[in-house]
Amino acid sequence: MKQLTLSFHSDDSRFENLTPALRGPHQLRNTAVVLKAVEVLRRQGISLSGRAIKRGVEHTVWAGRFQIVREGARSPVVVLDVCHNPGGAAAFVDTFKRVFPGRKASIIAGFVKRKAHQEMIDHLARVADSFRLVPLKTGRSVDTRELVSALDWHGVPVKRFSRFEMAYDRLLENADPSDIIAIIGSHYLVGEYLSKYGRQ
């Protein structure tokens, strides 16, 4: 996929064809906010070179923000995203469709209580070939049994697992190198993946 670029012009700054390292159209908006903040800092006397700003935008690493952590010839692609509300889920889906046009993902998801779960699934079902629900390692974790029966999954198959690693390892057993596994829905779940498997 061709990376999205941004040009930013103001009275005090001019940047052409910046390519943010963070993926997705929403990150273009976030980058524009950063550049506006830089402008304010410069007016306050803080020296920031154009080269440093460009490097920061184009080399930022932010764990769990559409983070592709494993991509190899013999293994599936794994995408991490901490999206935990409808807006985050919509941004994930938009980015996914741009990065992997026409593709679907096996989604491993975990959610905390008191979130707009149905609205999130309404978005995520657009790019899911299956859902695997797992509990989070927190007292705030939603009851996955209740979630399965309470939500409309839009015809996408859904299974429950008692532990994250069980869902993930089962997927890997039968995964094809062309498959995509998305681990999403909570900082807790993405953190659990990174602590167990790291950047393989």
Side-chain angles (χ1 to χ4, degrees):
M1 182 199 83
K2 187 177 185 295
Q3 285 285 79
L4 298 174
T5 61
L6 169 75
S7 293
F8 180 89
H9 302 160
S10 69
D11 292 340
D12 301 319
S13 302
R14 186 178 185 89
F15 294 95
E16 298 287 351
N17 299 318
L18 288 174
T19 305
L22 300 178
R23 293 177 170 92
H26 59 295
Q27 297 296 358
L28 295 181
R29 294 188 293 273
N30 290 341
T31 300
V33 171
V34 166
L35 295 175
K36 191 64 181 175
V38 164
E39 191 173 80
V40 171
L41 291 172
R42 281 176 158 178
R43 288 178 186 165
Q44 298 296 318
I46 297 174
S47 178
L48 295 165
S49 72
R51 180 179 292 179
I53 295 162
K54 179 175 172 28
R55 180 169 176 76
V57 167
E58 296 187 342
H59 293 87
T60 297
V61 175
W62 196 2
R65 269 66 179 188
F66 209 90
Q67 180 184 5
I68 299 175
V69 297
R70 188 161 93 176
E71 197 169 7
R74 294 187 298 263
S75 60
V77 173
V78 177
V79 181
L80 306 179
D81 202 296
V82 298
C83 62
H84 54 88
N85 54 42
F92 170 82
V93 169
D94 188 19
T95 305
F96 186 93
K97 289 168 82 82
R98 288 173 181 271
V99 175
F100 303 110
R103 305 284 302 283
K104 299 271 182 154
S106 299
I107 293 180
I108 302 176
F111 304 107
V112 297
K113 299 173 184 174
R114 294 185 293 280
K115 292 284 186 175
H117 300 119
Q118 183 63 68
E119 291 179 60
M120 294 177 68
I121 296 305
D122 292 343
H123 291 297
L124 296 173
R126 293 165 48 210
V127 296
D129 65 21
S130 64
F131 286 103
R132 286 160 174 78
L133 291 183
V134 299
L136 303 174
K137 291 191 171 181
T138 171
R140 299 176 58 210
S141 180
V142 73
D143 184 313
T144 57
R145 186 185 302 274
E146 290 180 7
L147 212 59
V148 167
S149 59
L151 301 186
D152 174 4
W153 297 90
H154 300 279
V156 179
V158 56
K159 293 181 181 178
R160 294 186 310 108
F161 289 83
S162 60
R163 293 178 296 122
F164 161 69
E165 60 266 31
M166 183 182 296
Y168 182 65
D169 290 345
R170 290 271 179 87
L171 265 179
L172 286 184
E173 284 173 9
N174 300 304
D176 186 89
S178 63
D179 289 343
I180 303 169
I181 299 172
I183 299 169
I184 61 176
S186 170
H187 289 80
Y188 291 104
L189 189 60
V190 169
E192 187 172 350
Y193 172 90
L194 289 173
S195 69
K196 288 180 182 299
Y197 301 98
R199 295 168 185 253
Q200 298 181 26

